Amino acid sequence: MTSLPVTVATSQSLLAPYAVRDSNSHGRAHREPPPTYRSEFQRDRDRIIHCGAFRRLEYKTQVFVNHEGDLFRTRLTHSIEVAQIARAIARTLALNEDLTEAIALAHDLGHTPFGHAGQDALNACMKDHGGFEHNLQSLRVVDELEERYADFTGLNLMFETREGILKHCAPAKAAELGELGRRFLDKRQPSLEAQLTNLADEIAYNSHDVDDGLRSGLISLEQLREIELFAEHHEAVARSSPELPARRVIHEVVRRMIGQQVGDLVETSIARLRAAAPADLEAVRAHGEALIAYSDSMRERNLELKRFLRTNLYRHYRVHRMSGKARQVIESLFEAFFGDPRLLPDKAQEQVRLLAETQGEAGRARAVADYIAGMTDRYAITEYERVYNPRELT
Ligand code: MG
């Protein structure tokens, strides 16, 4: 048994000098004894996997609403893909793989039902009460909303995990967040692990949205052949395997797209790290810009693909129709619950009482937003039916 803690120490000693490790971390808000056979960041990862908000990701929209098909990505499979890409990059760069995995698995915990349409609708409902932003909500989930431990509310995660979850933040909000918000005010960088997980998120969704977009028929091969990042690989695969069935061609192209973006990110970041030679984590934070980055040409290709997806997939009329319905569900639920909190289940009513006691009307609105944000797509639709359909008696 005594050899186990040594294994943890050894794996951390293989990390680059500027990597996050247990020993240079800002630690947890509530002090806890260190874990005996895991690193602190493994413990964070494990806490995230066991929390309720993580399980609900299975039934939340990425682009396609959950019931539209069993083959499309959900927030859960998206988060796992981000973790896979982030871990591969972290290991190559001798950075803290456990931390990147924890950030990746937690980064979308605060997402509302129905993807971005849901978040925009809830933000509009909350405009007089402090707004709603999914990134901040992910932090709120791990800091305050999960109730699983005897000694503290939330998951009491390490500072660097929380820092990675909070990808961006408006200055006014940052000022309310204390130490965690400081970097947005002082224009400092987050850890390299946070930087790379952020880009792994982008690699994951750009690639899988191409795959899901084609599968759904909302975008076509002909359109994508105009996009450099896709076209180059598509031509190469068509040339080398002309007999391959169409679906397999697409899988092979998407696989190569991910590989190329990861390769570019790794190569460029190694060059930047060599040039800047940060001595430690503090030097990474103080550096004028992010050290994890694509090459200029890859950034351009990425932007082209992003623009394409925005115009042709995210704004496709069929996605837009669903977004319209999502807005209606979210707005109606908010209106009903905010207007009359007695319509809420007991536990949510209790939350409304608690937050209204300390923060008045804004607190009441926040508790309603927390309840709605926590819903899965199908639960939101069921609640909508229960509240508004007179034939639904429960
Ligand atoms: Mg994401």
Side-chain angles (χ1 to χ4, degrees):
M1 282 307 283
T2 49
S3 66
L4 284 172
V6 179
T7 315
V8 172
T10 311
S11 69
Q12 294 214 4
S13 67
L14 294 174
L15 297 178
Y18 37 75
V20 173
R21 55 195 80 214
D22 291 3
S23 57
N24 63 9
S25 166
H26 292 222
R28 304 181 190 278
H30 178 92
R31 281 185 72 99
E32 294 183 64
T36 44
Y37 58 90
R38 295 173 293 178
S39 72
E40 294 282 7
F41 294 98
Q42 279 177 284
R43 172 147 78 179
D44 275 11
R45 186 264 327 270
D46 299 347
R47 284 183 179 178
I48 291 158
I49 287 178
H50 287 279
C51 83
F54 183 71
R55 285 193 294 282
R56 289 198 299 272
L57 293 176
E58 183 176 1
Y59 298 104
K60 290 197 179 200
T61 300
Q62 183 66 26
V63 174
F64 299 91
V65 175
N66 186 265
H67 61 251
E68 288 183 287
D70 293 348
L71 293 171
F72 298 127
R73 268 69 174 185
T74 64
R75 289 256 164 234
L76 181 63
T77 60
H78 161 69
S79 301
I80 294 170
E81 288 184 31
V82 176
Q84 176 270 310
I85 293 169
R87 285 183 57 180
I89 299 168
R91 192 181 295 194
T92 310
L93 297 178
L95 296 171
N96 192 325
E97 209 177 319
D98 298 325
L99 169 57
T100 58
E101 187 178 12
I103 297 170
L105 295 178
H107 85 284
D108 273 351
L109 289 178
H111 253 293
T112 60
F114 313 121
H116 283 276
Q119 112 111 27
D120 292 348
L122 198 51
N123 186 33
C125 296
M126 289 292 288
K127 81 175 184 313
D128 297 330
H129 315 287
F132 179 90
E133 204 275 318
H134 70 85
N135 207 219
L136 273 170
Q137 189 70 7
S138 296
L139 188 68
R140 189 166 161 75
V141 167
V142 300
D143 280 357
E144 293 175 53
L145 299 182
E146 283 289 331
E147 293 175 336
R148 312 190 67 81
Y149 299 93
D151 298 334
F152 45 82
T153 44
L155 305 180
N156 194 35
L157 300 180
M158 298 289 276
F159 176 88
E160 293 73 15
T161 308
R162 298 168 60 237
E163 169 191 64
I165 292 171
L166 193 65
K167 275 189 276 195
H168 37 77
C169 188
K173 287 279 176 206
E176 295 169 13
L177 290 172
E179 195 192 356
L180 198 69
R182 277 242 63 88
R183 77 176 165 93
F184 299 99
L185 304 170
D186 299 347
K187 305 259 181 295
R188 281 162 59 89
Q189 305 302 321
S191 71
L192 297 171
E193 287 84 351
Q195 294 179 28
L196 80 85
T197 309
N198 192 6
L199 289 169
D201 183 21
E202 204 178 285
I203 294 175
Y205 66 67
N206 278 337
S207 313
H208 66 48
D209 287 353
V210 164
D211 187 23
D212 284 352
L214 284 169
R215 187 196 302 277
S216 66
L218 300 193
I219 53 177
S220 70
L221 218 49
E222 287 62 43
Q223 287 176 305
L224 271 166
R225 283 211 204 98
E226 305 288 312
I227 306 304
E228 218 181 317
L229 191 57
F230 182 91
E232 180 197 342
H233 298 299
H234 187 261
E235 276 157 34
V237 175
R239 216 178 308 121
S240 60
S241 317
E243 304 298 325
L244 215 55
R247 262 321 307 164
R248 249 174 98 173
V249 170
I250 292 161
H251 290 316
E252 180 63 30
V253 172
V254 169
R255 164 184 169 260
R256 292 184 189 197
M257 283 169 64
I258 295 175
Q260 190 188 29
Q261 290 173 88
V262 168
D264 180 273
L265 190 69
V266 165
E267 294 299 325
T268 311
S269 302
I270 287 174
R272 288 165 76 95
L273 284 163
R274 276 205 189 114
D280 53 19
L281 178 56
E282 176 49 33
V284 166
R285 294 189 188 287
H287 198 73
E289 55 187 359
L291 285 161
I292 304 292
Y294 295 119
S295 64
D296 289 344
S297 64
M298 183 56 79
R299 193 169 35 248
E300 274 309 308
R301 296 173 121 212
N302 242 295
L303 274 175
E304 188 196 18
L305 176 60
K306 259 189 172 167
R307 274 195 295 268
F308 169 83
L309 288 170
R310 197 182 315 128
T311 315
N312 298 287
L313 181 61
Y314 311 144
R315 291 183 186 159
H316 190 283
Y317 80 91
R318 277 172 51 201
V319 174
H320 192 61
R321 278 184 191 174
M322 199 58 227
S323 303
K325 290 185 236 180
R327 198 178 323 117
Q328 190 191 332
V329 170
I330 301 280
E331 282 172 1
S332 308
L333 286 177
F334 187 88
E335 196 184 302
F337 294 143
F338 184 63
D340 183 3
R342 285 171 310 164
L343 293 171
L344 288 162
D346 293 343
K347 173 83 175 84
Q349 276 194 48
E350 177 59 26
Q351 279 297 112
V352 169
R353 255 194 307 278
L354 277 173
L355 293 191
E357 235 168 66
T358 50
Q359 300 160 46
E361 196 173 84
R364 175 155 58 104
R366 183 63 55 194
V368 170
D370 287 340
Y371 179 58
I372 294 174
M375 293 178 182
T376 60
D377 299 352
R378 60 185 184 178
Y379 186 74
I381 294 168
T382 306
E383 278 290 81
Y384 176 81
E385 286 288 317
R386 284 179 185 143
V387 172
Y388 285 100
N389 183 351
R391 291 185 191 282
E392 285 283 334
L393 296 176
T394 48

